[in-house]
Amino acid sequence: MDDPYQNNVNQQMREGGEYTYTQDGGGQDGYPYQTDYPQQDDDAASDATEGADEDDQMYEGEYQGIPHPDEIKMARRAARLEAKRKARLAEQQEEEESLPEQYESIMEDCGHGRFQWMLFFVLGLALMADGVDGFVVGFVLPSAEKDMCISNADKGLLGLLVYVAMMVGALVWGGLCDKMGRRKCLIYVLTIDLVFSFLSCFAQGYGFFLFLRICSGFGIGGSIPIVYTYFTEFLQMDKRGEHLSWLCMFWMLGGLYASFTAWGIIPHYGWGFAIGTQFQIHSWRVFILVCLFPALAALIGVVFMPESPRFLLENARHDEAWMILRRVHDTNWKAKGEPERVFTVTNIKTPQTEEDEFIEIQSDTGTAFQRWTVRKMTMLQQVMANVMSLSAPELRLQGLFLVIVWFCMAFSYHGLGVWFPDMIKYMQYEEYESKVKVFHRERVERFHFNFSLVNQIHREGEYIHDKFANIEIKSVKFEDSLFENCYFEDVRSTNTFFENCTFKNTIFYNTDLWQEKFKDCRLENTTFLHPKKGCHLNFQEENDIVIYMVSFLGSLAVLPGNILSALFMDKIGRIRIIGGSMLASSACTFLLLLSFSQGAVICWQCLFYAVSVAAWNGLEVISVELYPSSKRGTAFGILNGICKFAAILASFIFAVFIGITKIIPIFLAFAALVCGGLVALKLPETREKILS
């Protein structure tokens, strides 16, 4: 017969579902141990434990390795908490997975219309401002180096540091726009560029000018990552490729604007003005001022644009996102003649992160400064965590491929972008040098030089009782010559030097011939009266408009490639556009071997730019589509920073071979384009990908 007590124990064991210990063999030999075993009476306690505290009493089941009832209760509680945590995590993942699909359906319901086109032009102006800024330094340097006595080393330093600042700006602002917001960061970026560019117009010294241009570059360097991230999040899937490609055209318009205004302003002295005798505003400074107009127009437009609703949803700001989406919906359908259509969305998934909860808790404690510090430090930690998360296994491989393609494309494009104008300048220099006139051991006595001396070399000459008055001396070199009882008055010089010459009883009156013009010369009883010390612009000298024309034609040449890539981006896919464009561009580089004249260089430059621009458009589209919204700006900023780094590296390498050989730069560009094009074919296609 079964023991009723034993049956009761077994029943309790089944109901509890916890660990029990039983020994088979019947009622007499079974010793059950379980969590709800009846408590013993006080007088049943062991004599060995009498007088001891309850906390110090030894649990008798411990000898058999049986858990204490309190431990089992704690294990049950931990199991329940873990189950709840997993349930919350599963629910949150389900919400996050449903947000992209829901957002895509909302954008389809809002349609593509007036709102997107207004945002298109505003962000296009911001992109145009970046394009203009890329040309400003190159256009003003020929005039600025004379106006501020900039040496060749300082010229290179100016171009280098401005590009480094743009690289740092892309990295910093790309990360910040994922935490502070796309619109807010774009306003900061444009404001910084406007303020420091405006101040650089009035900087009279090289050091101050360099500092201001670096600050301006840091600001405008962040515009590209923000602009593409911002615009992408207002586009539905079937419109992204085409309209992001149309947006790329504004960078081309920036190049056209800069080239055209430089061509029309810089060579004209009358467009400048002076404030006193020391504060000179020459035409190249006016050009910088005019280049601020696209950034100013973009800043005014962005102020009236809303924040990205996708960013707001990712940061659990449901109500603000809903209001903006309704504004987009109503603006588009009202413009299409259907104002009666109602925005029917009532609920959007907005998972809240632990960082958001931490900020909310800390925002209610401490002083204002402590709260500000907590917010900023937490935001910095989140930005760094975003950067580190890009190395996650699911993003690592595609990120590596993208880095390679961006680097190869930027290296070849910007390297040849430096090589083209420098090659034209070298050809001009060679042609100029071939026409130099050489005078050897000439003796000129009591002669009045009232005509300009241009492109000449005078060796071992003697000039006795001669007068040089109101003339220009351009690209002239006097070597081992004697000047005795000579008089120089109102002389303007460009690239003119006296080397190992002797001056006796000579007077220099109101000339710019000063110490740096005389190399290893002997000056005996020589007087300098009212010298024009320092560097001075010579506005009567003809400006070389070829460089402006080259930049203008190069920018204009990308128009056909922009149009074709926009029309076919969604039809044949991003990968084919990128790979095909880069491989076709590599074939174009071999035509550069046939560039034996300035006209041929310009022709092949235009062809290369026209073919390669499609790869740029495809890269920018796929870069914003591959990464999730919370990391999109950070990833694009890193890629754009790598692009700037490749441009800096290429500009140094390609410039070294100017005048030495064409084969090495062409081979480097070819190899980079082929490598990048083949790697691009390994990237995932994103034309039917919902923004994650």
Side-chain angles (χ1 to χ4, degrees), residues 256-277:
L256 292 175
Y257 179 83
S259 305
F260 185 77
T261 52
W263 194 346
I265 295 175
I266 293 179
H268 295 85
Y269 173 63
W271 288 41
F273 57 93
I275 304 175
T277 57

PDB file of all heavy atoms in Angstrom, residues 256-277:
ATOM      1  N   LEU A 256      31.374  75.292 -61.093  1.00  0.00           N
ATOM      2  CA  LEU A 256      31.091  76.263 -62.158  1.00  0.00           C
ATOM      3  C   LEU A 256      30.991  77.676 -61.589  1.00  0.00           C
ATOM      4  O   LEU A 256      31.516  78.635 -62.178  1.00  0.00           O
ATOM      5  CB  LEU A 256      29.787  75.886 -62.869  1.00  0.00           C
ATOM      6  CG  LEU A 256      29.794  74.600 -63.704  1.00  0.00           C
ATOM      7  CD1 LEU A 256      28.405  74.314 -64.243  1.00  0.00           C
ATOM      8  CD2 LEU A 256      30.794  74.710 -64.847  1.00  0.00           C
ATOM      9  N   TYR A 257      30.298  77.810 -60.477  1.00  0.00           N
ATOM     10  CA  TYR A 257      30.134  79.125 -59.854  1.00  0.00           C
ATOM     11  C   TYR A 257      31.484  79.711 -59.444  1.00  0.00           C
ATOM     12  O   TYR A 257      31.771  80.894 -59.707  1.00  0.00           O
ATOM     13  CB  TYR A 257      29.217  78.990 -58.641  1.00  0.00           C
ATOM     14  CG  TYR A 257      28.971  80.268 -57.878  1.00  0.00           C
ATOM     15  CD1 TYR A 257      27.996  81.174 -58.293  1.00  0.00           C
ATOM     16  CD2 TYR A 257      29.708  80.566 -56.733  1.00  0.00           C
ATOM     17  CE1 TYR A 257      27.764  82.340 -57.585  1.00  0.00           C
ATOM     18  CE2 TYR A 257      29.482  81.730 -56.019  1.00  0.00           C
ATOM     19  CZ  TYR A 257      28.512  82.613 -56.449  1.00  0.00           C
ATOM     20  OH  TYR A 257      28.300  83.776 -55.739  1.00  0.00           O
ATOM     21  N   ALA A 258      32.321  78.889 -58.799  1.00  0.00           N
ATOM     22  CA  ALA A 258      33.630  79.381 -58.367  1.00  0.00           C
ATOM     23  C   ALA A 258      34.504  79.754 -59.551  1.00  0.00           C
ATOM     24  O   ALA A 258      35.171  80.800 -59.544  1.00  0.00           O
ATOM     25  CB  ALA A 258      34.321  78.310 -57.508  1.00  0.00           C
ATOM     26  N   SER A 259      34.523  78.926 -60.585  1.00  0.00           N
ATOM     27  CA  SER A 259      35.359  79.203 -61.758  1.00  0.00           C
ATOM     28  C   SER A 259      34.901  80.460 -62.472  1.00  0.00           C
ATOM     29  O   SER A 259      35.721  81.313 -62.865  1.00  0.00           O
ATOM     30  CB  SER A 259      35.321  78.009 -62.722  1.00  0.00           C
ATOM     31  OG  SER A 259      35.696  76.816 -62.078  1.00  0.00           O
ATOM     32  N   PHE A 260      33.598  80.591 -62.633  1.00  0.00           N
ATOM     33  CA  PHE A 260      33.067  81.736 -63.380  1.00  0.00           C
ATOM     34  C   PHE A 260      33.300  83.046 -62.626  1.00  0.00           C
ATOM     35  O   PHE A 260      33.708  84.051 -63.210  1.00  0.00           O
ATOM     36  CB  PHE A 260      31.574  81.519 -63.635  1.00  0.00           C
ATOM     37  CG  PHE A 260      30.951  82.580 -64.492  1.00  0.00           C
ATOM     38  CD1 PHE A 260      31.149  82.586 -65.861  1.00  0.00           C
ATOM     39  CD2 PHE A 260      30.165  83.574 -63.933  1.00  0.00           C
ATOM     40  CE1 PHE A 260      30.573  83.563 -66.666  1.00  0.00           C
ATOM     41  CE2 PHE A 260      29.590  84.555 -64.717  1.00  0.00           C
ATOM     42  CZ  PHE A 260      29.792  84.551 -66.092  1.00  0.00           C
ATOM     43  N   THR A 261      33.034  83.043 -61.314  1.00  0.00           N
ATOM     44  CA  THR A 261      33.225  84.277 -60.549  1.00  0.00           C
ATOM     45  C   THR A 261      34.706  84.639 -60.415  1.00  0.00           C
ATOM     46  O   THR A 261      35.070  85.820 -60.436  1.00  0.00           O
ATOM     47  CB  THR A 261      32.595  84.140 -59.149  1.00  0.00           C
ATOM     48  OG1 THR A 261      33.091  82.953 -58.523  1.00  0.00           O
ATOM     49  CG2 THR A 261      31.083  84.070 -59.237  1.00  0.00           C
ATOM     50  N   ALA A 262      35.577  83.622 -60.288  1.00  0.00           N
ATOM     51  CA  ALA A 262      37.014  83.903 -60.235  1.00  0.00           C
ATOM     52  C   ALA A 262      37.483  84.516 -61.545  1.00  0.00           C
ATOM     53  O   ALA A 262      38.281  85.468 -61.559  1.00  0.00           O
ATOM     54  CB  ALA A 262      37.783  82.623 -59.940  1.00  0.00           C
ATOM     55  N   TRP A 263      37.018  83.984 -62.638  1.00  0.00           N
ATOM     56  CA  TRP A 263      37.355  84.490 -63.966  1.00  0.00           C
ATOM     57  C   TRP A 263      36.890  85.940 -64.121  1.00  0.00           C
ATOM     58  O   TRP A 263      37.572  86.766 -64.735  1.00  0.00           O
ATOM     59  CB  TRP A 263      36.675  83.592 -64.995  1.00  0.00           C
ATOM     60  CG  TRP A 263      37.173  83.750 -66.401  1.00  0.00           C
ATOM     61  CD1 TRP A 263      37.949  84.749 -66.914  1.00  0.00           C
ATOM     62  CD2 TRP A 263      36.916  82.857 -67.479  1.00  0.00           C
ATOM     63  NE1 TRP A 263      38.189  84.538 -68.228  1.00  0.00           N
ATOM     64  CE2 TRP A 263      37.567  83.373 -68.606  1.00  0.00           C
ATOM     65  CE3 TRP A 263      36.196  81.676 -67.604  1.00  0.00           C
ATOM     66  CZ2 TRP A 263      37.508  82.747 -69.859  1.00  0.00           C
ATOM     67  CZ3 TRP A 263      36.144  81.055 -68.836  1.00  0.00           C
ATOM     68  CH2 TRP A 263      36.793  81.585 -69.947  1.00  0.00           C
ATOM     69  N   GLY A 264      35.731  86.239 -63.545  1.00  0.00           N
ATOM     70  CA  GLY A 264      35.174  87.578 -63.740  1.00  0.00           C
ATOM     71  C   GLY A 264      35.624  88.607 -62.720  1.00  0.00           C
ATOM     72  O   GLY A 264      35.523  89.810 -62.986  1.00  0.00           O
ATOM     73  N   ILE A 265      36.124  88.186 -61.553  1.00  0.00           N
ATOM     74  CA  ILE A 265      36.435  89.139 -60.483  1.00  0.00           C
ATOM     75  C   ILE A 265      37.929  89.322 -60.258  1.00  0.00           C
ATOM     76  O   ILE A 265      38.431  90.448 -60.217  1.00  0.00           O
ATOM     77  CB  ILE A 265      35.753  88.692 -59.166  1.00  0.00           C
ATOM     78  CG1 ILE A 265      34.238  88.749 -59.301  1.00  0.00           C
ATOM     79  CG2 ILE A 265      36.203  89.572 -58.005  1.00  0.00           C
ATOM     80  CD1 ILE A 265      33.492  88.224 -58.090  1.00  0.00           C
ATOM     81  N   ILE A 266      38.661  88.217 -60.091  1.00  0.00           N
ATOM     82  CA  ILE A 266      40.058  88.314 -59.651  1.00  0.00           C
ATOM     83  C   ILE A 266      40.931  89.160 -60.577  1.00  0.00           C
ATOM     84  O   ILE A 266      41.737  89.972 -60.099  1.00  0.00           O
ATOM     85  CB  ILE A 266      40.653  86.899 -59.456  1.00  0.00           C
ATOM     86  CG1 ILE A 266      39.960  86.204 -58.283  1.00  0.00           C
ATOM     87  CG2 ILE A 266      42.157  86.978 -59.194  1.00  0.00           C
ATOM     88  CD1 ILE A 266      40.445  84.795 -58.020  1.00  0.00           C
ATOM     89  N   PRO A 267      40.830  89.059 -61.908  1.00  0.00           N
ATOM     90  CA  PRO A 267      41.722  89.872 -62.756  1.00  0.00           C
ATOM     91  C   PRO A 267      41.403  91.368 -62.763  1.00  0.00           C
ATOM     92  O   PRO A 267      42.148  92.137 -63.373  1.00  0.00           O
ATOM     93  CB  PRO A 267      41.508  89.276 -64.160  1.00  0.00           C
ATOM     94  CG  PRO A 267      40.897  87.943 -63.940  1.00  0.00           C
ATOM     95  CD  PRO A 267      40.074  88.094 -62.698  1.00  0.00           C
ATOM     96  N   HIS A 268      40.327  91.798 -62.129  1.00  0.00           N
ATOM     97  CA  HIS A 268      39.909  93.202 -62.210  1.00  0.00           C
ATOM     98  C   HIS A 268      40.277  93.941 -60.926  1.00  0.00           C
ATOM     99  O   HIS A 268      39.680  93.703 -59.873  1.00  0.00           O
ATOM    100  CB  HIS A 268      38.396  93.292 -62.448  1.00  0.00           C
ATOM    101  CG  HIS A 268      37.972  92.731 -63.774  1.00  0.00           C
ATOM    102  ND1 HIS A 268      37.735  91.389 -63.947  1.00  0.00           N
ATOM    103  CD2 HIS A 268      37.758  93.324 -64.979  1.00  0.00           C
ATOM    104  CE1 HIS A 268      37.376  91.177 -65.206  1.00  0.00           C
ATOM    105  NE2 HIS A 268      37.388  92.331 -65.850  1.00  0.00           N
ATOM    106  N   TYR A 269      41.237  94.850 -61.046  1.00  0.00           N
ATOM    107  CA  TYR A 269      41.671  95.629 -59.891  1.00  0.00           C
ATOM    108  C   TYR A 269      40.578  96.578 -59.405  1.00  0.00           C
ATOM    109  O   TYR A 269      40.436  96.829 -58.209  1.00  0.00           O
ATOM    110  CB  TYR A 269      42.926  96.421 -60.252  1.00  0.00           C
ATOM    111  CG  TYR A 269      43.362  97.398 -59.186  1.00  0.00           C
ATOM    112  CD1 TYR A 269      43.744  96.950 -57.929  1.00  0.00           C
ATOM    113  CD2 TYR A 269      43.392  98.772 -59.429  1.00  0.00           C
ATOM    114  CE1 TYR A 269      44.135  97.833 -56.945  1.00  0.00           C
ATOM    115  CE2 TYR A 269      43.789  99.659 -58.452  1.00  0.00           C
ATOM    116  CZ  TYR A 269      44.158  99.191 -57.217  1.00  0.00           C
ATOM    117  OH  TYR A 269      44.546 100.065 -56.243  1.00  0.00           O
ATOM    118  N   GLY A 270      39.766  97.101 -60.323  1.00  0.00           N
ATOM    119  CA  GLY A 270      38.754  98.084 -59.959  1.00  0.00           C
ATOM    120  C   GLY A 270      37.682  97.545 -59.039  1.00  0.00           C
ATOM    121  O   GLY A 270      36.918  98.311 -58.462  1.00  0.00           O
ATOM    122  N   TRP A 271      37.638  96.217 -58.884  1.00  0.00           N
ATOM    123  CA  TRP A 271      36.619  95.624 -58.032  1.00  0.00           C
ATOM    124  C   TRP A 271      37.038  95.596 -56.570  1.00  0.00           C
ATOM    125  O   TRP A 271      36.284  95.161 -55.717  1.00  0.00           O
ATOM    126  CB  TRP A 271      36.309  94.202 -58.501  1.00  0.00           C
ATOM    127  CG  TRP A 271      35.546  94.171 -59.791  1.00  0.00           C
ATOM    128  CD1 TRP A 271      35.764  94.967 -60.876  1.00  0.00           C
ATOM    129  CD2 TRP A 271      34.448  93.332 -60.120  1.00  0.00           C
ATOM    130  NE1 TRP A 271      34.883  94.665 -61.867  1.00  0.00           N
ATOM    131  CE2 TRP A 271      34.050  93.662 -61.442  1.00  0.00           C
ATOM    132  CE3 TRP A 271      33.769  92.336 -59.447  1.00  0.00           C
ATOM    133  CZ2 TRP A 271      33.010  93.035 -62.080  1.00  0.00           C
ATOM    134  CZ3 TRP A 271      32.726  91.702 -60.096  1.00  0.00           C
ATOM    135  CH2 TRP A 271      32.351  92.050 -61.393  1.00  0.00           C
ATOM    136  N   GLY A 272      38.256  96.027 -56.266  1.00  0.00           N
ATOM    137  CA  GLY A 272      38.729  96.081 -54.894  1.00  0.00           C
ATOM    138  C   GLY A 272      38.599  97.483 -54.328  1.00  0.00           C
ATOM    139  O   GLY A 272      38.194  98.427 -55.005  1.00  0.00           O
ATOM    140  N   PHE A 273      38.953  97.630 -53.053  1.00  0.00           N
ATOM    141  CA  PHE A 273      38.907  98.938 -52.415  1.00  0.00           C
ATOM    142  C   PHE A 273      39.892  98.928 -51.255  1.00  0.00           C
ATOM    143  O   PHE A 273      40.419  97.880 -50.867  1.00  0.00           O
ATOM    144  CB  PHE A 273      37.485  99.283 -51.928  1.00  0.00           C
ATOM    145  CG  PHE A 273      36.905  98.287 -50.976  1.00  0.00           C
ATOM    146  CD1 PHE A 273      37.035  98.441 -49.605  1.00  0.00           C
ATOM    147  CD2 PHE A 273      36.203  97.180 -51.454  1.00  0.00           C
ATOM    148  CE1 PHE A 273      36.498  97.523 -48.720  1.00  0.00           C
ATOM    149  CE2 PHE A 273      35.663  96.252 -50.574  1.00  0.00           C
ATOM    150  CZ  PHE A 273      35.807  96.428 -49.210  1.00  0.00           C
ATOM    151  N   ALA A 274      40.156 100.106 -50.706  1.00  0.00           N
ATOM    152  CA  ALA A 274      41.127 100.252 -49.617  1.00  0.00           C
ATOM    153  C   ALA A 274      40.502 101.031 -48.485  1.00  0.00           C
ATOM    154  O   ALA A 274      39.680 101.939 -48.697  1.00  0.00           O
ATOM    155  CB  ALA A 274      42.386 100.954 -50.111  1.00  0.00           C
ATOM    156  N   ILE A 275      40.883 100.669 -47.258  1.00  0.00           N
ATOM    157  CA  ILE A 275      40.480 101.400 -46.054  1.00  0.00           C
ATOM    158  C   ILE A 275      41.768 101.903 -45.420  1.00  0.00           C
ATOM    159  O   ILE A 275      42.463 101.161 -44.720  1.00  0.00           O
ATOM    160  CB  ILE A 275      39.682 100.504 -45.088  1.00  0.00           C
ATOM    161  CG1 ILE A 275      38.460  99.901 -45.793  1.00  0.00           C
ATOM    162  CG2 ILE A 275      39.261 101.290 -43.858  1.00  0.00           C
ATOM    163  CD1 ILE A 275      37.693  98.913 -44.930  1.00  0.00           C
ATOM    164  N   GLY A 276      42.114 103.129 -45.677  1.00  0.00           N
ATOM    165  CA  GLY A 276      43.398 103.661 -45.222  1.00  0.00           C
ATOM    166  C   GLY A 276      44.522 103.168 -46.114  1.00  0.00           C
ATOM    167  O   GLY A 276      44.321 102.752 -47.264  1.00  0.00           O
ATOM    168  N   THR A 277      45.732 103.199 -45.582  1.00  0.00           N
ATOM    169  CA  THR A 277      46.895 102.783 -46.367  1.00  0.00           C
ATOM    170  C   THR A 277      47.292 101.334 -46.082  1.00  0.00           C
ATOM    171  O   THR A 277      47.929 100.690 -46.917  1.00  0.00           O
ATOM    172  CB  THR A 277      48.092 103.700 -46.045  1.00  0.00           C
ATOM    173  OG1 THR A 277      48.351 103.660 -44.635  1.00  0.00           O
ATOM    174  CG2 THR A 277      47.790 105.133 -46.468  1.00  0.00           C
TER     175      THR A 277
END
